[in-house]
Amino acid sequence: MTGGIAWCEGRWGTAAELSLPLDDRGLQLADGLFETVLIRAGQPCLLDEHLARWCEASKLLGLDPPPDHDQLMPLIQEAVHRALPDQECGALRLNWSRGSSPQRGIAPPLPGRHRFWLTLQPWIPSFNPISAIISRLERRNCDSVLSRCKTFAYGQAVQARREASQQGCDDALLLNTRGELCCSTTANLLLKPGGEGADAPWLTPPLRSGCLPGVMRARALQLGLAVEAELGESPGPDNQLLLINSLSCRGVLSLDDQPLSKQALAGESLWQALLD
């Protein structure tokens, strides 16, 4: 969707109008983190959970602590006022890079040079069913600390999505480096084996699989709507499969051209329950 607003270093404008210095490490090295937060009825959904993940990832990667709740809320409220006057839904992106380096190279600079910016644009949550493949080109590294963080480095996801598009599909699922189903390009996996009743919990790969510790995934575990389990190499045709993140929950109709259970098309009700 078009429109939206951005803020960077004290300035408001559109994302196209504002700019970063060319020596920013987020731009040059993907050295930074981001969070994508749903805005609904003028309010950021599960903001504390997003910020907790942001802070934990910053510690893991040796970044300075990012802006906290009290620092962010005035900016978020102003962004909502500017970009979502009718209180429609929006996608808020919070960005935190290691900032500018005074010299060339990958060695991290001294603390205190970090840079924050945000963008907000209108967004309609998506629940449309999709087709998918299992990527044969890309795998999620289950042993890398980066897999536990939502970093700027999305090149692997971009290539897997290209692979899916070239085969006429909407998205790709990624195996991890042990050959187990892990995640999709931008979402966590929820699977329900065939024959399980409506009240049976969904299965989702454990964090040791290398999947991102998604906020909606964590909510499903917290509420007892999902449990961790290894999913193997590929789900059977009778299984239900959902791809879930903060902005969408989509059922998978087919995987590698093999039909899956259509019962997963009820994913919107699960997504709403996690927000409520």
Side-chain angles (χ1 to χ4, degrees):
M1 299 182 67
T2 59
I5 196 72
W7 182 94
C8 183
E9 299 188 321
R11 294 183 58 210
W12 290 98
T14 67
E17 292 169 341
L18 301 184
S19 61
L20 294 175
L22 294 182
D23 62 355
D24 186 273
R25 291 175 63 92
L27 179 64
Q28 289 196 336
L29 302 172
D31 189 10
L33 301 164
F34 74 98
E35 289 290 328
T36 304
V37 183
L38 176 71
I39 302 292
R40 188 169 68 164
Q43 297 298 319
C45 297
L46 304 177
L47 180 62
D48 288 342
E49 288 84 349
H50 281 283
L51 297 186
R53 180 175 66 176
W54 209 24
C55 288
E56 179 60 28
S58 292
K59 292 178 184 177
L60 286 173
L61 300 185
L63 294 165
D64 288 359
D68 62 22
H69 184 279
D70 291 343
Q71 294 171 297
L72 290 171
M73 278 308 298
L75 288 173
I76 294 174
Q77 290 167 348
E78 179 65 19
V80 169
H81 174 73
R82 289 171 178 258
L84 305 176
D86 299 322
Q87 290 199 333
E88 68 257 43
C89 288
L92 171 71
R93 176 165 162 149
L94 306 173
N95 304 279
W96 186 235
S97 87
R98 208 180 297 266
S100 297
S101 291
Q103 59 189 18
R104 187 182 182 281
I106 67 170
L110 294 174
R113 299 177 179 271
H114 292 52
R115 180 171 285 112
F116 166 72
W117 68 97
L118 67 78
T119 61
L120 173 62
Q121 63 186 118
W123 178 264
I124 299 174
S126 176
F127 307 104
N128 295 329
I130 65 166
S131 59
I133 65 167
I134 296 177
S135 175
R136 308 303 173 192
L137 302 179
E138 300 292 340
R139 291 204 174 193
R140 187 88 171 176
N141 188 345
C142 57
D143 298 316
S144 172
V145 67
L146 293 174
S147 296
R148 296 153 60 187
C149 306
K150 196 172 178 70
T151 74
F152 294 154
Y154 261 59
Q156 183 180 65
V158 170
Q159 294 307 310
R161 185 70 66 87
R162 285 185 64 243
E163 182 186 357
S165 179
Q166 290 167 356
Q167 297 184 39
C169 292
D170 303 299
D171 204 354
L173 307 188
L174 299 179
L175 303 175
N176 63 20
T177 43
R178 291 194 295 261
E180 305 160 338
L181 275 176
C182 181
C183 58
S184 80
T185 57
T186 59
N188 286 114
L189 303 184
L190 294 176
L191 181 146
K192 187 173 288 189
E196 295 285 349
D199 294 332
W202 292 85
L203 307 181
T204 190
L207 294 183
R208 64 177 178 273
S209 72
C211 71
L212 186 74
V215 167
M216 297 295 270
R217 172 191 178 278
R219 282 284 290 169
L221 293 170
Q222 177 187 13
L223 296 175
L225 299 176
V227 296
E228 292 186 333
E230 295 179 356
L231 302 186
E233 295 182 5
S234 180
D238 295 330
N239 293 339
Q240 302 175 48
L241 187 63
L242 293 177
L243 308 184
I244 189 166
N245 60 29
S246 294
L247 301 180
S248 66
C249 187
R250 299 171 298 167
V252 179
L253 283 178
S254 66
L255 185 62
D256 287 336
D257 294 326
Q258 298 300 312
L260 298 180
S261 171
K262 295 183 179 180
Q263 290 178 295
L265 302 186
E268 181 175 358
S269 60
L270 171 67
W271 189 83
Q272 296 287 0
L274 299 180
L275 289 179
D276 296 337

